[in-house]
Amino acid sequence: MEFMEERIRKDGRVKEGGVLKVDTFLNHQIDVKLVRQIAKALKEHFGDAGVTKVVTIEASGIAIASITAEEFGVPMVFAKKSKSKNLDANVYRSQVYSYTYDRFYDIVVNANALGEEDKVLLVDDFLANGQAMHGLLDICDQAGAEVAGIGICIEKSFQPGGQTLRDEGYDVCSMAKVKSLENGQVEFE
Ligand code: 5GP
């Protein structure tokens, strides 16, 4: 989407290690009008898919998922990052490797928040190696929920997550696809 590429060109900052900072408009200070545009684009793409819930991971996905859920007229659920290892029978739990923090963490969703009757749209701010998405897919699988598709604000297509998910048969809709962050420059596909 042109609007997303334009905003990244204007306000995105490239950091060491292939990291793109977007914290002035997407995941710290948030341009809600931009998020509304993202939500409308996702509605345009997935509007006929019978979505019953929008699901993301805290914290960066929450604003995007909330406004997207409002566009669809369905609830939003965010997987919580859990520090406790207790094996609560009433939660779905999965493990995710964090690209930005270089460590593993658990994510949990209450069993009463997701079930067999749900058709889920998964959303997140970034898609890089696909670890966060695979954690959410694992939770949907445990819940018996169907996945309608995956909506991403910024896909880093020089990392394998997007291709892997498409190869697995998922409909991945990304607002912008970044093919390189080399030499501090953002290049789009
Ligand atoms: P993945 O699990 O696909 O490897 O990475 C996705 C998660 O890592 C996202 O939830 C996002 O928070 C974080 N992430 C990955 N790459 C970047 C990046 O370049 N910039 C920022 N701000 N977050 C990133």
Side-chain angles (χ1 to χ4, degrees):
M1 311 272 160
E2 199 56 44
F3 72 89
M4 197 66 200
E5 293 187 8
E6 264 172 33
R7 191 56 184 268
I8 294 167
R9 268 197 209 99
K10 182 168 163 273
D11 292 326
R13 283 170 297 133
V14 180
K15 295 281 170 186
E16 297 277 296
V19 171
L20 179 64
K21 291 284 268 185
V22 291
D23 54 3
T24 57
F25 60 99
L26 195 63
N27 58 16
H28 179 49
Q29 175 170 280
I30 294 170
D31 180 340
V32 180
K33 274 195 180 160
L34 179 82
V35 178
R36 177 70 64 189
Q37 266 183 296
I38 295 166
K40 285 187 187 296
L42 292 176
K43 180 78 190 304
E44 176 89 22
H45 189 93
F46 293 109
D48 296 330
V51 171
T52 65
K53 258 166 213 171
V54 177
V55 175
T56 190
I57 298 190
E58 70 174 344
S60 306
I62 293 177
I64 302 150
S66 299
I67 294 179
T68 302
E70 191 191 25
E71 255 336 292
F72 280 80
V74 300
M76 184 281 272
V77 176
F78 65 94
K80 293 187 179 185
K81 291 177 179 168
S82 160
K83 290 199 180 83
S84 87
K85 288 280 165 209
N86 77 3
L87 293 174
D88 185 337
N90 299 318
V91 300
Y92 307 120
R93 180 180 290 270
S94 192
Q95 214 183 36
V96 172
Y97 173 74
S98 164
Y99 175 79
T100 31
Y101 294 101
D102 187 25
R103 64 173 178 82
F104 285 91
Y105 59 92
D106 278 13
I107 55 171
V108 297
V109 169
N110 284 353
N112 62 8
L114 210 53
E116 285 174 356
E117 67 287 358
D118 283 314
K119 207 161 175 195
V120 173
L121 175 62
L122 298 173
V123 307
D124 207 359
D125 57 347
F126 280 88
L127 174 60
N129 290 315
Q131 303 275 348
M133 269 307 139
H134 279 103
L136 289 177
L137 287 166
D138 181 21
I139 280 183
C140 289
D141 190 47
Q142 291 174 43
E146 197 182 324
V147 175
I150 298 173
I152 297 293
C153 298
I154 304 169
E155 177 177 338
K156 294 157 78 185
S157 57
F158 59 91
Q159 291 177 261
Q163 194 54 51
T164 306
L165 289 165
R166 289 185 184 95
D167 289 347
E168 288 168 1
Y170 295 104
D171 182 0
V172 182
C173 176
S174 300
M175 300 297 108
K177 285 187 187 170
V178 172
K179 71 172 179 192
S180 169
L181 293 173
E182 274 171 33
N183 306 316
Q185 297 297 313
V186 186
E187 274 184 51
F188 296 99
E189 268 191 14

